[in-house]
Amino acid sequence: MKQEDLNQYPVLGSIIEESYWYCNNFCLKGKYNKIKDSSDDKEYYYNLYFHDIKDSNIVDKEEKKYYDAKVVEFKVSETHLGFDICLTIDCRDEGIQTFECQQIMQFWCKDMRYDVLKYRGMSYKNVYSNPQYQALFTKNQQAYGKDEYFLKTDSNDLENGYIVQWDSYGECQRAKNSVLYTNTFIQRCRFLHKGTILFEYDSIYDMGHVSAIIKHQNGKNYFLFKTDLYGLNVYDMESKEIFYYMPEGYQHSYQQIYGESFIIISIHYDEKTNLIAYEGCYWGGTSDVMVGDFSNPMNFNPILKSIHEMIDPEYECYDDIDFDKWEDGKLYVTVDDKKNVVEPIKIRLSH
């Protein structure tokens, strides 16, 4: 944690929204209504993690909760092997809400982390043209074409003589059974038809294999491709126009350009409904199928409907949900590698 972070995004005076212990770790989640001495006057959220806690003065820490709590003092003293923490909280007794009290937490921790978040929930704002985001491409493109950084050439056959081919480059350390990327990575991708290059693009994540040709209800053909782990892009095969889309993502640190969103790994369009189904997942999560509106390919609606949340909103019955087929305007999915577990789904999207 950097001291300048605490200066610009203070914990002192913030409202605690959640706090909990897990093993010998403590997490504090808070909200600050306004950033002081900053051009950004919006509220922000933070997560404060203390790892490997010892010598804590808190008894029955698993049972301790706070009601309407506020941080009034936060002192950090760095030691040779960790940090001494003193955290003072004004709170209300959860049994007697009118009774105000003060809780002083003192402990030593081996490490700590402070994440400041721009927002809560999902942002669909397109940040592809953001100069900071584009700088990632400039950095990674430095590896392209250098023999010492070459990793492999690969390809993906689509249909009717169309193919995607890519060369991967990266600064890396080669382990015994895999390659560990340490600094830069770039894929120079080519969309070809019977050996003729129609379109070239770069990907800064290993996504060259995720692509599809869509025969749209409007009579035109579109090539869908990815240039990063997140997002999706559209190439009009008739007009040669390109639409790039990178969602800003889900609840992320102010130091990051974009956050997590759904990772698309396969694409399935239904001409009858103008809906499109994407297989994939959130990072580290179970597989899901997301459905979106694709009536306007060159400016498509990125808001997706989760099939898992439709059929198992509490994630209690099923784990992995995968695409099976579109048929008669209905979506068929497989659940935990089994068909016919759930009824075909008729999707309705609100605009």
Side-chain angles (χ1 to χ4, degrees), residues 12 27 36 44 62 83 98 130 148 153 161 168 182 219 234 254 273 296 318:
L12 199 65
C27 178
K36 296 181 180 179
Y44 64 89
E62 295 292 342
F83 302 90
T98 59
N130 183 310
E148 64 269 31
T153 295
S168 298
T182 59
V234 184
Y254 72 101
T273 62
N296 184 2
Y318 312 123

Side-chain angles (χ1 to χ4, degrees), residues 54 64 74 84 108 111 139 148 193 290 308 315 335 339:
K54 295 180 180 179
K64 183 63 181 176
F74 180 44
D84 285 325
W108 175 92
D111 195 11
K139 172 188 174 183
E148 64 269 31
H193 182 245
M290 293 283 192
H308 209 143
Y315 284 70
V335 177
K339 293 185 178 182

